[in-house]
């Protein structure tokens, strides 16, 4: 029931780690294939991904309280280097982003990675103050991943679009929701518009709107780069 929320926390933690230049972090798309009961050993996963460390996480949400367990594993030896439990009552979106940022900082500290002042500011950013908008965005994001991981499942893409649209009803300046809609449009129309003069214009328009509301939205610049 709350799987989308826990997955969202983990994904945002990965994104926060990716913002630290001293670290190289693979994407959720790359690691999703290993989330099964028959997954390879940790050293084999690390070899396939080309990484030195693995971060494992699990979590539960009870009402407005979230409990997370995070572990850092040395990939080659499968040795646990560090583990921490986090518990947070979620009264506002600030509480969600606070715990995500703290996990990233703690992992970086364990790996002795340097966090610059600019990166520290990015970790502290709050993309929306509306907790309902953020919840709807996370539901949309989870459906989007279901689309990507299930041979472009159109049903999931439609649900993702609905959730992103609903999120904007609660926060009209929520940049990430506009990015979500832009990616939906990309997935729906890339092939059909490839030779058109107005190739994916809606993607560019939605991305520009997102960057108008939040100039530090890295996903906006990535998508805009993909467009060009």
């Amino acid at each position: 029931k709350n799987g989308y929320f826990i997955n969202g926390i983990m994904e945002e933690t990965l994104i926060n780690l990716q913002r630290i230049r001293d670290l190289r972090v693979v994407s959720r798309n790359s690691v999703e294939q290993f989330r099964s009961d028959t997954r390879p050993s940790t050293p084999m996963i690390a070899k396939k991904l080309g990484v030195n460390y693995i971060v494992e996480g699990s979590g539960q949400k009870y009402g407005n309280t979230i409990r997370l367990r995070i572990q850092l594993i040395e990939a080659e030896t499968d040795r646990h280097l560090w583990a921490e439990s986090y518990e947070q009552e979620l009264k506002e979106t600030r509480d969600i982003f606070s715990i995500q940022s703290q996990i990233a900082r703690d992992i970086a500290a364990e790996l002795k990675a340097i966090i610059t002042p600019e990166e520290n500011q990015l970790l502290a950013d709050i993309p929306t103050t509306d907790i309902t908008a953020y919840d709807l965005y996370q539901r949309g994001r989870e459906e989007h991943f279901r689309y990507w991981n299930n041979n472009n499942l159109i049903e999931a893409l439609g649900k993702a679009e609905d959730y992103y649209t609903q999120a904007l009803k609660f926060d009209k300046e929520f940049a990430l929701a506009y990015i979500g809609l832009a990616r939906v449009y990309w997935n729906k129309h890339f092939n059909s518009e490839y030779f058109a003069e107005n190739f994916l214009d809606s993607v560019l328009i939605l991305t520009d709107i997102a960057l108008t509301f939040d100039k530090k939205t890295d996903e906006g610049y990535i998508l805009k780069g993909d467009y060009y």
Side-chain angles (χ1 to χ4, degrees), residues 14 28 43 45 52 72-73 99 107 133 149 155 160 203 222 224:
L14 280 179
R28 178 180 170 182
I45 293 173
N52 297 319
L72 180 66
I73 302 168
I99 196 169
I107 292 171
N149 293 319
E155 174 195 356
V203 169
I222 291 169
K224 198 166 184 178

Side-chain angles (χ1 to χ4, degrees), residues 1-55:
K1 181 180 174 180
N2 292 314
Y4 76 92
F5 190 86
I6 301 300
N7 287 339
I9 294 280
M10 297 305 178
E11 185 190 358
E12 290 299 326
T13 299
L14 280 179
I15 290 172
N16 279 334
L17 288 170
Q18 287 168 342
R19 288 172 173 150
I20 301 171
R21 293 190 198 118
D22 224 14
L23 301 174
R24 184 185 73 82
V25 184
V26 298
S27 68
R28 178 180 170 182
N29 281 340
S30 299
V31 302
E32 196 74 18
Q33 60 184 306
F34 301 115
R35 292 182 60 179
S36 68
D37 295 333
T38 57
R39 72 179 190 176
S41 66
T42 298
M44 286 182 66
I45 293 173
K47 187 175 181 180
K48 287 185 177 182
L49 295 175
V51 298
N52 297 319
Y53 304 94
I54 299 285
V55 176

Side-chain angles (χ1 to χ4, degrees), residues 50-202:
V51 298
N52 297 319
Y53 304 94
I54 299 285
V55 176
E56 289 186 350
S58 60
Q60 293 175 305
K61 186 171 180 281
Y62 302 95
N64 291 329
T65 300
I66 187 169
R67 294 187 184 125
L68 302 172
R69 174 77 174 170
I70 310 296
Q71 301 178 88
L72 180 66
I73 302 168
E74 187 178 58
E76 186 177 2
T77 62
D78 204 7
R79 182 169 64 95
H80 285 67
L81 297 177
W82 168 86
E84 188 64 69
S85 295
Y86 300 84
E87 183 169 326
Q88 178 74 50
E89 185 178 3
L90 307 177
K91 295 181 178 178
E92 54 186 1
T93 54
R94 185 178 301 276
D95 300 324
I96 302 171
F97 301 121
S98 174
I99 196 169
Q100 292 168 173
S101 299
Q102 189 59 51
I103 293 170
R105 289 190 179 97
D106 289 348
I107 292 171
E110 188 63 29
L111 294 175
K112 296 180 172 56
I114 296 171
I115 302 178
T116 67
E118 293 81 5
E119 291 163 354
N120 203 44
Q121 182 59 49
L122 286 174
L123 295 181
D125 279 352
I126 298 175
T128 179
T129 57
D130 192 295
I131 198 163
T132 302
Y134 188 67
D135 184 79
L136 288 165
Y137 168 76
Q138 291 289 40
R139 290 175 186 268
R141 189 72 170 161
E142 191 64 17
E143 289 295 337
H144 222 145
F145 269 102
R146 197 160 71 90
Y147 163 80
W148 286 319
N149 293 319
N150 288 276
N151 298 313
N152 295 346
L153 184 64
I154 294 299
E155 174 195 356
L157 189 63
K159 288 183 178 180
E161 183 175 13
D162 289 343
Y163 281 128
Y164 294 143
T165 302
Q166 289 178 51
L168 288 171
K169 291 180 180 177
F170 289 89
D171 182 356
K172 291 181 173 59
E173 298 182 3
F174 190 6
L176 289 177
Y178 285 106
I179 295 298
L181 285 176
R183 288 201 179 278
V184 167
Y185 192 92
W186 181 294
N187 297 138
K188 276 186 172 183
H189 302 288
F190 183 89
N191 291 327
S192 62
E193 292 189 5
Y194 193 78
F195 293 106
E197 288 186 16
N198 59 343
F199 172 65
L200 297 185
D201 277 0
S202 293

